[in-house]
């Protein structure tokens, strides 16, 4: 692969030490890591940046991870953003279902296994990249179709003008013959 543009990964946790740990683990991916120490800070970051993946601590003081994920999903620009929950507490089936309903794509239990976290984030980063590439290709294709349609319409108009001139010339020739 060539030199690809970095994508943004948002890390949300109210504990600075955990944020630093995630940053160290994910720095090897070579992407742009954006940190937020609270749900409100995360929402501010999301207003300024498009992100490929959001890692969210489930247990935070202001809004819990479920509420934050739900708010992220409610924003049209981020409704398809991958959300991965990180949880130190053992989540029951109901919690897992609640998370998936709010749009989580995965869970990572604490203690975090660095290789697993990296692999999961990498999957969604690549999916984000491929989606962006497809969007770009679709936009290019739509532009080419639009240009081609305009060319065909122009050609059709020129053909109609040419047919009209030929019709007028034929009528003039018939009139000249009658004279």
């Amino acid at each position: 692969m060539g030199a690809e543009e970095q994508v943004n990964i948002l890390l949300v946790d109210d504990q600075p030490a955990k944020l630093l740990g995630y940053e160290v683990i994910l720095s090897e991916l070579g992407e742009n890591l954006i940190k937020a120490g609270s749900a409100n800070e995360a929402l501010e970051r999301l207003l300024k940046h498009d992100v490929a993946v959001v890692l969210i601590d489930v247990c935070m003081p202001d809004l819990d991870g479920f509420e934050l994920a739900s708010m992220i999903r409610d924003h049209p620009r981020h409704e398809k953003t991958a959300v991965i929950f990180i949880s130190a507490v053992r989540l029951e089936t109901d919690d897992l279902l609640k998370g998936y309903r709010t749009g989580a794509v995965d869970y990572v239990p604490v203690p975090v296994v660095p290789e697993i976290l990296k692999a999961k984030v990498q999957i969604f980063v690549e999916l984000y990249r491929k989606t962006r590439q497809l969007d770009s290709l679709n936009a290019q294709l739509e532009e080419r179709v639009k240009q081609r349609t305009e060319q065909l319409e122009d050609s059709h108009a020129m053909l109609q003008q040419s047919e009209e001139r030929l019709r007028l010339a034929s009528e003039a020739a018939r009139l000249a013959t009658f004279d």
Side-chain angles (χ1 to χ4, degrees):
M1 286 195 179
E4 293 177 309
E5 191 175 314
Q6 284 185 321
V7 300
N8 297 318
I9 300 170
L10 179 60
L11 313 173
V12 186
D13 200 308
D14 61 312
Q15 297 179 37
K18 283 186 180 178
L19 279 176
L20 183 60
Y22 305 145
E23 188 177 21
V24 168
I25 292 168
L26 297 174
S27 64
E28 294 175 27
L29 297 178
E31 305 299 346
N32 186 39
L33 304 175
I34 301 170
K35 296 183 285 186
S38 69
N40 288 331
E41 216 177 290
L43 292 170
E44 287 175 21
R45 302 284 190 278
L46 285 168
L47 288 175
K48 297 176 185 166
H49 305 281
D50 280 324
V51 296
V53 184
V54 183
L55 290 183
I56 302 176
D57 179 22
V58 172
C59 302
M60 291 188 295
D62 52 347
L63 288 172
D64 71 24
F66 299 125
E67 293 167 316
L68 175 58
S70 186
M71 291 174 78
I72 291 170
R73 288 287 184 208
D74 287 344
H75 192 289
R77 199 170 101 202
H78 301 292
E79 63 190 354
K80 292 185 175 138
T81 301
V83 173
I84 299 175
F85 283 126
I86 298 179
S87 181
V89 296
R90 187 174 169 340
L91 296 174
E92 300 301 320
T93 303
D94 287 346
D95 296 322
L96 294 172
L97 290 173
K98 180 180 177 184
Y100 288 126
R101 274 190 222 104
T102 62
V105 292
D106 211 341
Y107 278 92
V108 175
V110 172
V112 171
V113 177
E115 290 74 23
I116 290 176
L117 180 62
K118 267 191 296 195
K120 289 181 178 200
V121 169
Q122 183 67 42
I123 287 167
F124 293 106
V125 163
E126 289 307 314
L127 183 61
Y128 177 85
R129 270 202 179 96
K130 292 204 183 321
T131 302
R132 294 297 274 261
Q133 288 170 350
L134 279 174
D135 290 345
S136 174
L137 288 171
N138 281 336
Q140 290 171 21
L141 183 60
E142 285 176 15
E143 181 58 31
R144 288 211 297 274
V145 167
K146 183 179 151 218
Q147 289 172 356
R148 187 69 182 127
T149 301
E150 288 170 1
Q151 288 173 347
L152 287 170
E153 287 170 351
D154 290 347
S155 295
H156 183 72
M158 287 171 51
L159 181 61
Q160 283 182 319
Q161 289 173 355
S162 178
E163 287 175 345
E164 181 62 15
R165 282 195 302 274
L166 180 60
R167 187 186 63 76
L168 291 173
S170 295
E171 284 180 13
R174 261 187 260 129
L175 287 176
T177 310
F178 288 125
D179 282 349

